[in-house]
Amino acid sequence: MFYREAGDFKTSYAEDNQTFPIKFDRYRYWLVLAVAYLVIPFMINDYWANAIFVPFLIYAIAAIGLNILTGYCGQVSLGTGGFMAVGAYACYKLMTAFPDVNIVFHILVSGGITAMVGAAFGLPSLRIKGFYLAVATLAAQFFLVWLFNKVGWFYNYSASGQISAPERFVGPFAVTGPNAAPWAQYMICLVFVTVCAVVARNLTRGTLGRKLMAIRDMDIAAEIIGVNPLRTKLTAFAISSFFIGISGALFFAVYLGAVEVGEAFGIQKSFLVLFMVIIGGLGSIFGSFAGAAFLVLLPVALKFVGSDLMGWPTDLVSHLQLVIIGALIMFFLIKEPHGLAQLWRVTKEKLRLWPFPH
């Protein structure tokens, strides 16, 4: 069998504690990166970029951010759409105020601004938890959407209330605006998602990750053993909001190009990212990718099977999508709370032991 640990020996603690302790996992990781960086950019077209790859990468960053807060730290948040809007509007203001600065710095600074806003809205987590914290973050969602709708400064007093991304370049290549090539949009999102995933993986495996999980499991016990709940919870909100702000900036500037806050970053966006985390797996970086891939590919697959092959009306297909998502959420919450990531872990364990029963 191809998936084995026999002969894969470790001679140091660093080797034993690496992210991918099995050689096959490491080879598979580098193979995926090689295909993503060296194959897909030369094959991608406008449809594949806009329908699958770019939204998948952007939603994966948002799901990673929410997973750090909800999956690792146990703080329920329903304000993801509002925090994505903060990143989008911060990026727009930076792009229009500093046109000569590289778009990469605008996106990173937008994430920093969103981190500060997220930490401010995370203050109630020090006193409330569970359902009440979810309601508090839901209030943040509605407040931020209302703020960006009502204050004209955020959209430069545009008559339509929309914000539009001006054309910006990374080197000689346009990554925003109408002249941006699909491969350029894909590449900038791929670079950001790679860096965010590596940073998140290392953060959650270190001391901070253990503090987050201690707060998630029992915050009183965590405080007794020396974990500062104030610093840890606000750090979780800040880091989560940083990733979500980056995803919001990419969603606006690279993917859509022009947005209206109520349509692009409404409460549906918050629920969509939350569903990605639930289906993919709480407390798993891989689960964030799995959930984002599933919910991005599901509408495309249903449209192809239902509308194109079966000839069903589009409204029936859209309602069927909601039914499938709802059924899957109930299934995973009842039968497998750790989502697709746990199913993948169980499959790997079976492969490591096959054909033996134990």
Side-chain angles (χ1 to χ4, degrees):
M1 194 62 183
F2 62 90
Y3 197 81
R4 281 290 183 267
E5 285 184 272
D8 192 0
F9 300 110
K10 314 295 188 302
T11 58
S12 66
Y13 287 112
E15 291 179 352
D16 192 49
N17 198 37
Q18 57 190 331
T19 302
F20 300 107
I22 302 176
K23 288 183 179 179
F24 181 81
D25 286 337
R26 294 196 294 273
Y27 298 153
R28 177 169 51 86
Y29 170 75
W30 290 114
L31 177 62
V32 170
L33 283 184
V35 171
Y37 277 94
L38 302 178
V39 177
I40 294 178
F42 298 99
M43 302 175 59
I44 197 170
N45 55 30
D46 190 64
Y47 172 76
W48 286 98
N50 292 322
I52 297 178
F53 286 109
V54 173
F56 159 66
L57 296 174
I58 293 172
Y59 282 127
I61 299 175
I64 290 172
L66 184 60
N67 219 336
I68 290 175
L69 180 64
T70 303
Y72 284 95
C73 194
Q75 309 301 301
V76 182
S77 175
L78 296 178
T80 308
F83 297 135
M84 288 181 70
V86 173
Y89 276 79
C91 185
Y92 171 71
K93 294 298 294 185
L94 292 169
M95 291 173 73
T96 53
F98 306 100
D100 297 329
V101 179
N102 193 286
I103 180 66
V104 174
F105 294 103
H106 289 155
I107 295 173
L108 291 175
V109 175
S110 300
I113 294 173
T114 311
M116 292 186 289
V117 175
F121 281 105
L123 287 172
S125 67
L126 307 176
R127 294 295 181 185
I128 58 178
K129 63 179 67 175
F131 172 76
Y132 301 99
L133 180 59
V135 173
T137 55
L138 185 63
Q141 161 75 36
F142 289 118
F143 171 76
L144 290 171
V145 171
W146 171 86
L147 181 67
F148 293 131
N149 262 327
K150 293 299 181 182
V151 180
W153 179 81
F154 289 109
Y155 51 85
N156 287 347
Y157 303 98
S158 169
S160 63
Q162 285 189 341
I163 56 174
S164 299
E167 190 175 56
R168 293 292 182 268
F169 295 82
V170 174
F173 306 109
V175 295
T176 65
N179 297 321
W183 70 267
Q185 296 174 313
Y186 165 79
M187 282 302 296
I188 188 173
C189 294
L190 179 63
V191 170
F192 271 104
V193 78
T194 304
V195 174
C196 289
V198 172
V199 171
R201 177 61 177 167
N202 285 279
L203 283 176
T204 54
R205 291 177 72 239
T207 303
L208 177 61
R210 293 183 176 89
K211 290 181 179 179
L212 296 178
M213 289 183 280
I215 292 292
R216 175 195 65 191
D217 294 339
M218 185 175 291
D219 52 356
I220 297 177
E223 187 175 6
I224 292 174
I225 64 175
V227 178
N228 188 325
L230 168 64
R231 185 181 299 116
T232 305
K233 289 182 180 181
L234 292 186
T235 301
F237 269 95
I239 295 175
S240 170
S241 300
F242 178 78
F243 288 124
I244 293 172
I246 288 178
S247 69
L250 291 171
F251 191 77
F252 151 67
V254 177
Y255 180 48
L256 293 181
V259 299
E260 195 278 323
V261 63
E263 296 179 359
F265 302 110
I267 187 63
Q268 297 87 354
K269 193 70 64 184
S270 298
F271 284 123
L272 178 63
V273 180
L274 180 61
F275 295 160
M276 290 177 181
V277 173
I278 292 174
I279 292 176
L282 291 167
S284 169
I285 303 300
F286 171 76
S288 303
F289 284 95
F294 182 85
L295 288 186
V296 168
L297 289 173
L298 180 62
V300 178
L302 284 179
K303 179 181 179 301
F304 175 74
V305 175
S307 298
D308 299 341
L309 294 183
M310 306 295 292
W312 295 344
T314 55
D315 57 343
L316 175 61
V317 174
S318 62
H319 285 92
L320 182 62
Q321 174 187 341
L322 297 177
V323 171
I324 292 175
I325 293 175
L328 285 174
I329 289 172
M330 289 189 292
F331 170 79
F332 281 114
L333 287 177
I334 296 172
K335 293 294 185 181
E336 190 50 80
H338 295 289
L340 295 172
Q342 178 64 17
L343 296 180
W344 175 240
R345 282 192 289 266
V346 171
T347 302
K348 291 200 299 182
E349 290 298 324
K350 296 293 185 182
L351 288 175
R352 289 162 70 181
L353 297 175
W354 187 87
F356 303 106
H358 304 291

